[in-house]
Amino acid sequence: MNDLQRLRAGIDRIDGELARLFEERMAAAAEIAAWKRENGRPVRDPAREREVLDRAAARIEDPALRPRFAALMEALMAQSREYQSGLLDGAAGISSPACRGGGPASRPVEGCLSHGTPGIGYPIFLERGALSRAASLLDLDRRVFVVTDDGVPARYAETLAAQCRAATVFTIPRGEASKSPKMLTALLEAMLRAGLTRGDCAVAVGGGVVGDLTGLAAALCLRGIDWYNVPTTLLAMVDSSVGGKTAVDLDGVKNAVGAFWQPRAVLIDPELLETLPPRQLSNGLAEAVKMALTHDAGLFARFEDPAGYGPVEDLIAACLRIKTAVVAADERDHGVRQALNFGHTLGHGLEAAAGGRLLHGEAVALGMLPMCASEVRARLLPVLERLGLPTSVNFDLDPEQAIAAICHDKKRLDSRFVTVFVPEIGSWEFREAGLNELRGLLTGCEGVRHDC
Ligand code: GLY
């Protein structure tokens, strides 16, 4: 046996041992999932996952190997979750309104970059200058239908289109009013006119409205074509571009008609934020604060740092670690993904009642304040102020208008609503609330500054 054969025999022996251990681990995971279902506990326990990862990393002595082992454990845990879900259909859903979660999400930043992100099944490219290299990251060697809005600098869609074999750029008016069935129809008609076939694709170059609309048009066009999301706002970069939620509003009801239609890839170029107006930046920061409050106390501490929250790409990566972990656990929003609706029940009501005076993130900021323990609120208030977000309603709020909008909210459960509450920073729990409680909480949004 030569040296190489001897070394390879060593690897083969180790692989054999790993295969045996893998089967043993999966069997143990399946037993735990069965126990959780019997005892009405959610399959996902992010705090425990973090603990497992930290302990695993601490067992590796070579610091150069530690992050590699952490990535391996991540992939192993994602496999285990998928296996459990397959065995226990529905076990990852909400088992009761008292379902809880929290703790930092566990995907390494590297997992979000350039490689297929385990669990969500498509890559997220997060790199400065990525837009000008889009053709090397996305398959643009086909007919490409690029959607943007008139609030986004035209050169972003042009930069993308210039890298495609054949591109059509479709520009919609900025704002929520474009998320309409009428605009969806216009988009679909233009897609057909452009001669798209099933092998072609759409690309959204814009914020949440452009992404939601383009994703839905892609889901419907020829019964579903590929699409890519190229978010240009911070809100879309930290949250809405990932997870495949697509929709239009109907009859005054936000996101009333939609589909889960995952993009083939998400391309995030933080350089595009340089043209984003400050109010829009704050708007996105509200969703980042939401992620931190519900899932990552360390991330929240960054917002409290008087020196600032640090490089924006680190912030985006931290949010995407949370987002991808949550979406991987509950793509269809039956369970833990609803934690990302923190602040949104009251927020949607306030946004509707404000009639355009509040941006989505601003309404969410206000909607989060009454939905957390008073110690949490006391820390949240200065953070929102520092980030340029509102902490009280500064217009005549008609609570009944807000309540009417909330009643259309898809989280409605008979006359009770499932809301998300943050008892301590980095964790969340579902709480049921009736209409009267929500009315009271809306008043809290107006007066919350004085309560603390
Ligand atoms: N933006 C919340 C979600 O994607 O579920």
Side-chain angles (χ1 to χ4, degrees):
M1 195 187 266
N2 66 29
D3 275 357
L4 182 60
Q5 281 170 333
R6 189 176 46 75
L7 292 169
R8 283 185 172 156
I11 283 276
D12 290 347
R13 183 188 51 75
I14 293 165
D15 286 351
E17 194 61 16
L18 281 175
R20 190 187 60 72
L21 288 172
F22 178 74
E23 275 185 330
E24 217 175 283
R25 193 180 194 284
M26 289 302 233
E31 272 182 52
I32 290 172
W35 183 92
K36 284 183 169 175
R37 185 162 67 169
E38 258 173 51
N39 292 278
R41 298 271 294 275
V43 169
R44 290 301 304 269
D45 180 347
R48 157 83 185 159
E49 286 170 23
R50 182 76 262 165
E51 197 187 299
V52 171
L53 279 175
D54 289 348
R55 206 176 35 231
R59 284 183 180 135
I60 300 292
E61 279 175 20
D62 181 348
L65 290 182
R66 233 173 261 147
R68 292 178 189 279
F69 187 62
L72 180 68
M73 284 300 292
E74 284 274 349
L76 186 59
M77 285 161 84
Q79 285 294 329
S80 161
R81 283 196 298 274
E82 276 174 31
Y83 180 61
Q84 290 177 349
S85 302
L87 289 175
L88 307 169
D89 187 34
I94 305 177
S95 52
S96 80
C99 178
R100 285 157 190 273
S106 46
R107 197 170 306 288
V109 173
E110 292 77 13
C112 291
L113 306 178
S114 307
H115 311 297
T117 309
I120 64 165
Y122 50 88
I124 301 170
F125 303 103
L126 169 57
E127 309 171 8
R128 283 189 172 266
L131 180 63
S132 54
R133 293 191 294 279
S136 63
L137 303 168
L138 315 175
D139 178 6
L140 304 177
D141 187 17
R142 45 184 165 169
R143 200 171 289 279
V144 181
F145 192 86
V146 184
V147 185
T148 189
D149 77 35
D150 60 11
V152 176
R155 67 176 184 279
Y156 295 165
E158 285 159 10
T159 302
L160 194 285
Q163 299 172 67
C164 304
R165 173 151 54 84
T168 304
V169 177
F170 190 90
T171 306
I172 62 171
R174 77 189 82 177
E176 187 73 20
S178 282
K179 257 177 75 173
S180 66
K182 200 168 156 210
M183 191 58 74
L184 177 66
T185 308
L187 210 60
L188 287 167
E189 284 168 355
M191 284 168 138
L192 295 182
R193 273 199 307 275
L196 293 196
T197 64
R198 279 239 178 108
D200 295 326
C201 69
V203 184
V205 180
V209 168
V210 171
D212 282 11
L213 186 69
T214 309
L216 185 55
L220 296 173
C221 183
L222 305 172
R223 295 206 182 97
I225 60 168
D226 287 355
W227 74 293
Y228 298 109
N229 209 335
V230 181
T232 60
T233 64
L234 184 61
L235 188 143
M237 289 181 188
V238 298
D239 189 357
S240 68
S241 61
V242 170
K245 277 189 180 175
T246 74
V248 291
D249 306 337
L250 181 68
D251 203 15
V253 183
K254 205 170 156 71
N255 300 328
V257 177
F260 289 95
W261 190 248
Q262 300 293 340
R264 283 280 163 198
V266 178
L267 185 149
I268 300 175
D269 182 347
E271 279 177 12
L272 309 191
L273 294 175
E274 282 161 20
T275 54
L276 195 69
R279 189 172 170 204
Q280 285 289 347
L281 199 68
S282 298
N283 192 41
L285 288 168
E287 295 284 8
V289 169
K290 169 198 80 177
M291 302 270 189
L293 274 176
T294 48
H295 288 84
D296 190 343
L299 178 57
F300 188 81
R302 279 203 231 168
F303 289 117
E304 292 180 303
D305 188 337
Y309 53 77
V312 75
E313 40 275 75
D314 290 356
L315 185 66
I316 297 167
C319 290
L320 291 180
R321 278 198 294 272
I322 296 167
K323 181 77 193 244
T324 51
V326 171
V327 170
D330 176 25
E331 182 199 348
R332 293 290 169 127
D333 206 14
H334 296 307
V336 291
R337 186 163 176 178
Q338 290 182 20
L340 299 182
N341 287 333
F342 173 56
H344 283 60
T345 302
L346 297 177
H348 277 167
L350 289 165
E351 198 178 347
R357 280 168 291 191
L358 286 176
L359 297 177
H360 176 73
E362 294 170 340
V364 168
L366 289 166
M368 291 192 286
L369 282 166
M371 300 306 298
C372 47
S374 53
E375 307 79 53
V376 176
R377 192 179 310 130
R379 285 175 63 186
L380 176 58
L381 273 166
V383 163
L384 294 180
E385 273 168 3
R386 186 174 306 137
L387 299 180
L389 286 158
T391 52
S392 61
V393 174
N394 61 359
F395 58 90
D396 277 342
L397 172 69
D398 175 0
E400 289 318 308
Q401 210 183 336
I403 287 289
I406 290 171
C407 282
H408 283 301
D409 195 293
K410 56 194 173 305
K411 290 175 288 300
R412 188 173 176 176
L413 188 68
D414 299 323
S415 58
R416 311 280 297 166
F417 294 81
V418 178
T419 64
V420 182
F421 185 84
V422 169
E424 60 187 59
I425 292 171
S427 69
W428 56 271
E429 61 192 32
F430 288 129
R431 282 196 183 174
E432 278 195 17
L435 272 184
N436 279 338
E437 278 165 86
L438 292 182
R439 256 188 208 98
L441 291 170
L442 276 169
T443 318
C445 293
E446 289 179 283
V448 78
R449 284 177 61 76
H450 314 294
D451 294 346
C452 293

